Amino acid sequence: MNLFNDKLHKGKEGLKKFSRRAQEKVLQKLGTHVGTNDPRFDDTINRVERLDKNLHTMYNAMSDYILSMEQMQLASVRMASTFESLLKEENEEFIKARIAESYSNNSDNKPQTKSELPVDNETLKVVENFVEETKILEQWTKKVISNTCKEMIVRPAGEKLKEIPGLHKTIAHRQQKLLDYDAYRRKQDAEKNPESEQSLKIATKLESAHSKVNSVTNEVITACATIENGKTKLFLDGFASLVACQTMINLRSAQKLEPYLPMLPQAAPALCMICSKTNEENLRNVAADTKK
């Protein structure tokens, strides 16, 4: 029976709180009553919300970077493999044509035409080796570079983001306590006799509500400081890791693929276009425009 009465009492108290807070919220929205303003608290929350937004931006951008990096390497494999298939097909078609020509010449007692393959075996071997190198680079990028990005950039950002939802719950709890405080403050302001028993009860509840608001406020501010701690290091470490990953992708690609250039004289026109003075000037112009 006592347990039932306790639950009934708690239920009534909960209903009173809900009604009091709902009424106070409506009055504040209507402008009938002005809620308590705490600039220091608001500034702290704004900083954390900005950090939350920045972390999400960094997390999403790095996830896109990893995906794009892997897709670029995979596209390189597919493109190289496509050219390999096309060049082998050229030789196969040539051989088929020569076999057909051979049968025709033999039946007509004509001499066979001597000719070379469209793609010589040495060049075809270069193509095959290049394709294998692109496959190795693609796997290396996925297993080494992507995992490094995830470990050094994505994971720290994700761990920091996990701290914020708990803070939002505490902020919401503080808001409920603040509505209690504002409601009692409004009732106290409405009391005409500050010495009455009712007025003294309200003053006691107001003091208690104020104490609870301060307690939760300090809890939120401490949590915010914990979340903000190390954010500069997190961003700087993330940037340095990005530079390391991007540099090693380009460096390893150059080390593995550059030796193929002397084997392919057909690459000369493309290299001349890439390294032309005009393109270098365009690059400098782009860089200058970006700095403006």
Side-chain angles (χ1 to χ4, degrees):
M1 190 68 177
N2 289 335
L3 181 62
F4 175 77
N5 289 333
D6 287 343
K7 288 186 176 181
L8 184 63
H9 176 71
K10 289 179 179 178
K12 288 180 179 179
E13 287 298 314
L15 186 60
K16 285 181 181 179
K17 284 183 180 180
F18 176 80
S19 177
R20 179 174 64 245
R21 292 167 179 173
Q23 183 182 16
E24 182 61 28
K25 187 180 289 187
V26 170
L27 290 173
Q28 289 184 15
K29 284 186 176 181
L30 292 174
T32 306
H33 188 225
V34 179
T36 301
N37 185 30
D38 187 344
R40 184 174 72 98
F41 179 83
D42 293 341
D43 180 62
T44 302
I45 298 304
N46 287 337
R47 289 202 313 273
V48 172
E49 287 180 349
R50 188 163 58 250
L51 175 60
D52 185 23
K53 180 181 177 181
N54 291 339
L55 285 171
H56 273 100
T57 299
M58 185 181 84
Y59 186 95
N60 294 334
M62 182 48 62
S63 297
D64 290 343
Y65 172 81
I66 293 172
L67 179 61
S68 299
M69 182 175 56
E70 291 179 353
Q71 289 296 319
M72 181 185 71
Q73 297 293 348
L74 182 59
S76 178
V77 172
R78 288 173 176 169
M79 200 68 248
S81 298
T82 298
F83 277 115
E84 180 187 20
S85 297
L86 292 173
L87 292 171
K88 285 182 176 180
E89 187 178 300
E90 285 292 300
N91 280 1
E92 290 169 0
E93 291 297 323
F94 176 83
I95 292 170
K96 288 178 182 178
R98 286 297 172 268
I99 291 173
E101 182 183 338
S102 175
Y103 281 123
S104 175
N105 288 342
N106 287 338
S107 61
D108 296 338
N109 296 319
K110 293 180 180 179
Q112 294 183 10
T113 307
K114 192 175 181 179
S115 59
E116 298 179 354
L117 290 170
V119 185
D120 62 83
N121 290 329
E122 186 177 343
T123 300
L124 202 56
K125 189 63 179 176
V126 170
V127 173
E128 290 172 352
N129 290 339
F130 182 89
V131 171
E132 288 305 310
E133 285 292 356
T134 61
K135 290 179 180 178
I136 293 171
L137 279 171
E138 188 262 337
Q139 288 299 312
W140 177 79
T141 300
K142 185 181 293 184
K143 293 179 180 179
V144 178
I145 297 298
S146 294
N147 287 342
T148 300
C149 288
K150 290 172 184 176
E151 179 63 23
M152 302 303 297
I153 305 173
V154 175
R155 185 185 59 78
E159 289 180 353
K160 184 65 71 173
L161 282 169
K162 288 179 183 178
E163 300 176 20
I164 296 177
L167 176 64
H168 288 157
K169 292 180 181 179
T170 311
I171 292 172
H173 179 60
R174 176 188 181 273
Q175 183 58 32
Q176 297 301 311
K177 297 298 181 183
L178 193 60
L179 287 171
D180 289 338
Y181 172 75
D182 287 337
Y184 289 130
R185 184 165 57 84
R186 174 173 50 84
K187 287 182 179 181
Q188 187 183 57
D189 292 342
E191 282 293 318
K192 296 180 179 179
N193 183 5
E195 301 300 327
S196 67
E197 184 178 350
Q198 179 64 17
S199 181
L200 293 175
K201 285 182 179 180
I202 293 174
T204 300
K205 290 181 178 179
L206 178 63
E207 184 178 350
S208 175
H210 186 256
S211 176
K212 290 177 181 178
V213 168
N214 284 340
S215 176
V216 182
T217 298
N218 290 333
E219 183 182 346
V220 171
I221 289 175
T222 301
C224 287
T226 301
I227 291 172
E228 286 188 288
N229 183 41
K231 66 174 182 176
T232 303
K233 184 178 184 302
L234 187 149
F235 291 148
L236 188 55
D237 288 353
F239 174 73
S241 299
L242 172 65
V243 172
C245 289
Q246 187 65 52
T247 301
M248 290 310 299
I249 290 173
N250 295 333
L251 182 61
R252 192 174 183 89
S253 295
Q255 289 174 340
K256 294 297 182 180
L257 303 182
E258 188 177 2
Y260 288 91
L261 287 174
M263 305 177 195
L264 296 166
Q266 299 89 341
L271 285 172
C272 289
M273 181 177 290
I274 293 169
C275 301
S276 70
K277 185 177 180 181
T278 302
N279 282 338
E280 288 297 320
E281 289 176 353
N282 289 338
L283 179 60
R284 284 195 291 270
N285 291 335
V286 169
D289 291 339
T290 304
K291 291 179 180 179
K292 291 180 181 178

